[in-house]
Amino acid sequence: MAVTPGSLSVAVVDDHPVVIEGIQAWLSQEPRISVRQTGEAVDVQPGVVDVLILDLNLHGRLVVDDIATLAAAGQRVIAFSQFTEQRVVLESLEAGACEFVAKNEGRAHLVNAVLAAAGDRPYVTPTAAGVLVGDRGASRPRLSSQERTALLWWFQSMSKASVARRMGVSVHTVDIYIRRARVKYAQVGRTAPTKADMLARAIEDGLVTPDDITSYESAAFNEN
């Protein structure tokens, strides 16, 4: 399917104007992407843009908690940072970042990460790959609490609408949680394209037990 030029909207938050200008220059070379908002504070309203590129260190403060808040509201976030320590990368991904891109990884990786995040597809940069390979728990994706809750209640209820009511969010947000969990499983080589696959992965990883799925019915496997 053809993508309309400029149809993928992006916001950039960084406390260094030169970095923002550099990102804008990089993304301007990709006709599918349009930078709609820039700034040095995390005041982007979730859902206004498709993808938020967020510097992890704003005015001397690590903003991992802001990632969790934005991701919980359904915003796709790419963590963009010069800090590449294992703890920082893993905490960013666990908080709900779709991707982690190191500032020294260049234009191609950032553009690819934006396109993948907007399409809810996995993309792993060399920095993130190195951290995940070195992490003993790398085969088990790091799901946020919202993603785990959405999966559990989805398995139990059969209906994304009922999950949305219980979580106090929109059906769209629930769908984002589930798609994001699928992306995270794909990133570690354990694809889960259907609801049945997701349930199997969750049981394998101990995220849920068969006893948790007390109201789960075989018909649920037909809802993807």
Side-chain angles (χ1 to χ4, degrees):
M1 181 177 66
V3 178
T4 303
S7 62
L8 303 181
S9 58
V10 172
V12 182
V13 173
D14 196 293
D15 57 357
H16 293 91
V18 67
V19 174
I20 291 178
E21 291 174 8
I23 293 174
Q24 288 179 301
W26 282 353
L27 298 184
S28 68
Q29 299 176 50
E30 171 48 67
R32 290 169 288 182
I33 298 173
S34 174
V35 177
R36 304 282 176 83
Q37 184 175 342
T38 64
E40 59 181 40
V42 191
D43 55 3
V44 177
Q45 292 299 313
V48 172
V49 293
D50 296 310
V51 179
L52 167 61
I53 299 172
L54 178 62
D55 180 12
L56 285 184
N57 184 28
L58 294 177
H59 305 290
R61 180 178 71 90
L62 285 178
V63 294
V64 173
D65 289 343
D66 293 274
I67 292 177
T69 300
L70 290 161
Q75 178 64 58
R76 302 177 182 90
V77 179
I78 292 176
F80 189 60
S81 182
Q82 75 270 30
F83 299 113
T84 58
E85 295 85 352
Q86 183 184 58
R87 176 185 63 82
V88 174
V89 176
L90 292 177
E91 286 183 358
S92 300
L93 295 173
E94 186 169 7
C98 299
E99 319 288 351
F100 182 98
V101 181
K103 288 189 174 181
N104 63 0
E105 288 187 301
R107 173 188 174 274
H109 284 300
L110 184 60
V111 170
N112 288 338
V114 168
L115 295 174
D120 296 311
R121 301 189 309 275
Y123 184 80
V124 183
T125 64
T127 295
V131 168
L132 292 171
V133 168
D135 178 27
R136 293 180 180 178
S139 64
R140 175 177 172 175
R142 293 171 177 267
L143 304 184
S144 69
S145 61
Q146 293 88 359
E147 290 159 1
R148 290 193 296 268
T149 298
L151 286 177
L152 174 59
W153 288 350
W154 185 45
F155 296 149
Q156 292 177 333
S157 69
M158 293 178 52
S159 167
K160 291 178 183 176
S162 64
V163 174
R165 286 192 295 271
R166 291 179 69 181
M167 295 186 72
V169 299
S170 68
V171 174
H172 173 69
T173 298
V174 170
D175 195 50
I176 285 177
Y177 291 154
I178 293 170
R179 282 184 284 149
R180 202 160 61 205
R182 281 186 170 134
V183 167
K184 288 182 178 181
Y185 270 107
Q187 286 173 331
V188 297
R190 300 169 65 204
T191 57
T194 69
K195 191 172 187 178
D197 294 325
M198 286 298 302
L199 177 59
R201 298 286 182 263
I203 291 175
E204 289 168 359
D205 292 342
L207 298 176
V208 299
T209 68
D211 289 340
D212 291 328
I213 318 301
T214 54
S215 61
Y216 193 77
E217 301 178 14
S218 60
F221 289 102
N222 295 322
E223 182 187 4
N224 296 331

